Amino acid sequence: MAPIPDASAPTPTTITTSTTMENNTMKFGEYLFKRLAQVHSVNSIFGVPGDFNLGLLDHLYTTDLQWIGGCNELNSGYSADGYSRYTNSLGVLITTYGVGELSAINAVAGAFAEYSKVLHIVGIPTRRAMFDNVEKKKHLHHLVPSLDSLEDSDHFVYTKMVGGISCIAKTITNPATAAEDVDEVIKTIFKHSRPGYLFLPLDMADEIIDASRLITEPAVDFHRVKIEEEANTKLVGDKILSKLYNSKIPAFLADVLVRRYDQGVELLRELVNTTNIHNYTTFMGKSILNEYHPSFVGDYIGIESNKGVKENLESSDCILYFGPHINEINTGHYSFDFTEEQSILLHPDYIKVGSELFRGVHMINVMRYLLSNIDTSRIAAPVPVPYHVSPRYPNIPSRSSISQSVLLKKFESFLQEGDVVVCETGSFMFGIPDFRFKTDVNYIAQGFYLSIGMALPCSVGVGIAMKDQGSKSRLILVEGDGSAQMTIQELSSFPHYGLKPIIFLLNNSGYTVERIIRGENQTYNDIKPWNWSKVFELFEYDGTAEGKLISEKAKQNKHCVSSIVSSEEELSLAMTSVNSKVDDDKLRFFEVILDKLDCPWRFFHMNNYRLFPLTDAGSKALA
């Protein structure tokens, strides 16, 4: 490590930065942001300022990157995750030592669980404070002391916590290798599509480093999967083609990891168009394929599939399973029922053809090989699927004027081509697989980690990404009342950053999912009632120090239109008003009143299979 300068004092808030390289050198903070600005689709940075990252943040303004300040670090982490999911690139999060990074750790864990590319940059104390034998004995603020009060505190106690939720973590201390270290972290995040960490000491931001990599190795292609021509790609590709040519009833199954890698969705859709092979998506893979393609069958979720979907897929003799994410929720509680010999698993880390496992072969390269070498004349001609596909339970009555069955049906019709739908963890999510999405609808949800409250700030990140890319598509957020209360602060980001989503807040008086699992009438599943229709009045101030209420004239043109929807007629009118572009320049917020025990059929169906204890509500719904 290079000699540690005496930098125990905080970096001044006013710094001098270069805007062009002199002798190929630049301050490290400026280099870092210029490097990130080169990465595909990175135009905004999320986070919360703190005293250990302020010196770094000042360098942000030497670039065109936009700072998106979150109300707290957890929300900013969810927003960065949403930005990554929409762009399929980096979502960048910046927090401060201890109190900030720990607040965000749940969001990063969710990103890790679902293969989302989040770069978490943490400002930490100076190198002198971290490494000097005298200085590191001091108890800095934000640090938790050791259990034994006579022992030195561990200044790296937080960095040790991220090992299980990151694919790489580096503490940058050496100016001579800083630029190379940054590139290694970014490349590793793209390679694994998992979060990575950069821990930056306070005094590193102003260190002068060699910045020539900005020119000699620009980061514009860091997101691309390297095209490999190694023998294993050809070997595996030929084995797959052989099985495909010998198949009488082949099928494609698309899962979420297809979306996480560059060109994944495009390559798979092209394979479908080229072959017309019957295709399906998983619970987490929803919207990857064109669901109006003649060969699309439905969403395969094992026993939680609609009638005919499970039977059709499992009758196939060759199932190419693209981008598998094998977990409890995605597999219908491990009710996938096809044999090893039936299946070919194409994963970013391996390919498995029947019982043969090939490590280190990337699915993207194999998909490219298949497209380049497939002989469609040798593939069995498509025939109609043998089993009719239909909803399992088309309608479940409710004690409220609006049932979730009706809501789901109307919502499917409400969607338009190109819509972006962000759905919260909750009962409504389990009705989404019954939809047939219109062309290019993009569905974003945390279908495995299931951290309630994620969707609201995630949709902020999605909205910022859409704005960065000039998208004219509609952003639709489906949120729950209990979930919203977890991260409600970030609602203020919508008007602040000029975002105008269409929000359906489903008010079912608490934690409905939990009520169905256990405790239908227990107080632990209750939440505090809110007057949701008034929530946007919180943002009707002018932002001045005096905090004056905006003028009555301005209030008439406020940024939000909100209403309570408590009947089918009101729901129809609300959706019609949106589709007719009434108040199209404003955020639309609809509070939809539902019964506290109303769920889509799929959730009760899980209970029926004893995947959860069967409740009275579940029994009655399936009677």
Side-chain angles (χ1 to χ4, degrees), residues 57-349:
L57 291 180
D58 277 336
H59 291 284
L60 176 71
Y61 302 100
T62 65
T63 72
D64 292 328
L65 294 172
Q66 182 184 15
W67 172 253
I68 307 296
C71 295
N72 59 54
E73 292 86 358
L74 175 63
N75 287 359
S76 289
Y78 287 145
S79 295
D81 188 349
Y83 193 90
S84 173
R85 289 174 190 242
Y86 182 81
T87 62
N88 199 17
S89 186
L90 287 185
V92 182
L93 168 67
I94 301 181
T95 66
T96 195
Y97 186 57
V99 293
E101 58 183 306
L102 294 187
S103 292
I105 204 165
N106 183 52
V108 178
F112 185 87
E114 301 206 354
Y115 289 76
S116 193
K117 293 175 277 292
V118 172
L119 170 60
H120 189 179
I121 301 170
V122 182
I124 64 175
T126 64
R127 289 170 289 175
R128 180 181 177 86
M130 300 289 283
F131 294 102
D132 182 88
N133 287 332
V134 175
E135 290 294 320
K136 71 181 183 180
K137 293 178 181 293
K138 299 177 180 178
H139 296 318
L140 287 174
H141 64 287
H142 298 339
L143 177 65
V144 291
S146 299
L147 181 63
D148 187 336
S149 59
L150 296 177
E151 289 186 358
D152 294 345
S153 295
D154 181 2
H155 287 236
F156 291 93
V157 63
Y158 308 127
T159 63
K160 295 174 182 176
M161 293 182 181
V162 306
I165 59 166
S166 61
C167 62
I168 186 170
K170 276 188 172 291
T171 302
I172 309 299
T173 58
N174 188 350
T177 61
E180 184 179 348
D181 289 340
V182 168
D183 284 2
E184 182 185 357
V185 170
I186 295 173
K187 289 178 179 179
T188 304
I189 291 172
F190 277 113
K191 177 182 178 181
H192 296 286
S193 194
R194 297 284 183 94
Y197 274 82
L198 280 173
F199 294 98
L200 301 183
L202 178 63
D203 55 308
M204 271 298 300
D206 286 341
E207 283 282 3
I208 303 298
I209 70 164
D210 181 356
S212 58
R213 293 171 78 92
L214 292 174
I215 298 172
T216 61
E217 191 181 346
V220 291
D221 289 328
F222 281 9
H223 66 291
R224 299 195 182 283
V225 177
K226 185 178 179 182
I227 298 177
E228 300 288 356
E229 299 294 344
E230 79 273 10
N232 277 350
T233 298
K234 183 179 187 304
L235 172 66
V236 169
D238 287 342
K239 282 181 175 289
I240 293 172
L241 288 175
S242 177
K243 289 202 71 167
L244 198 55
Y245 295 152
N246 288 312
S247 167
K248 294 181 180 178
I249 315 173
F252 291 160
L253 178 60
D255 210 340
V256 64
L257 299 193
V258 171
R259 192 183 290 284
R260 298 292 190 256
Y261 288 87
D262 180 55
Q263 294 187 318
V265 172
E266 293 82 359
L267 289 168
L268 184 52
R269 288 191 175 196
E270 191 174 348
L271 273 169
V272 168
N273 291 334
T274 300
T275 63
N276 286 311
I277 287 174
H278 291 310
N279 50 95
Y280 307 73
T281 51
T282 63
F283 185 75
M284 294 178 69
K286 185 70 175 172
S287 81
I288 285 175
L289 297 175
N290 177 3
E291 300 185 10
Y292 269 79
H293 194 283
S295 61
F296 180 78
V297 180
D299 296 317
Y300 175 69
I301 323 174
I303 59 174
E304 293 158 29
S305 308
N306 268 310
K307 288 182 179 179
V309 175
K310 179 179 187 294
E311 295 80 0
N312 283 318
L313 180 74
E314 293 171 4
S315 66
S316 302
D317 56 0
C318 180
I319 302 168
L320 274 68
Y321 186 1
F322 294 91
H325 193 327
I326 309 296
N327 65 68
E328 174 200 18
I329 305 300
N330 203 32
T331 61
H333 296 78
Y334 289 102
S335 60
F336 278 17
D337 191 16
F338 46 81
T339 66
E340 188 176 62
E341 285 307 309
Q342 268 179 288
S343 60
I344 299 170
L345 274 58
L346 295 95
H347 191 276
D349 299 329

Side-chain angles (χ1 to χ4, degrees), residues 400-404 406-407 411 428 478-481 503-509 532 563-568 570-571 574-575 589-595:
S400 291
S401 296
I402 305 174
S403 70
Q404 286 222 34
V406 169
L407 175 62
F411 193 84
F428 187 85
V478 181
E479 184 60 71
D481 57 338
I503 302 175
F504 292 91
L505 184 128
L506 311 184
N507 187 341
N508 47 18
S509 302
W532 288 100
S563 62
I564 299 174
V565 175
S566 56
S567 69
E568 288 187 30
E570 289 174 352
L571 180 62
M575 291 179 168
F589 182 90
F590 303 108
E591 178 188 4
V592 183
I593 308 300
L594 300 171
D595 181 68

Side-chain angles (χ1 to χ4, degrees), residues 75 78 424-425 451-458 479 482-484 486-487:
N75 287 359
Y78 287 145
E424 181 61 84
T425 295
S451 181
I452 69 171
M454 187 266 190
L456 196 159
C458 172
E479 184 60 71
S483 299
M486 296 278 184
T487 50

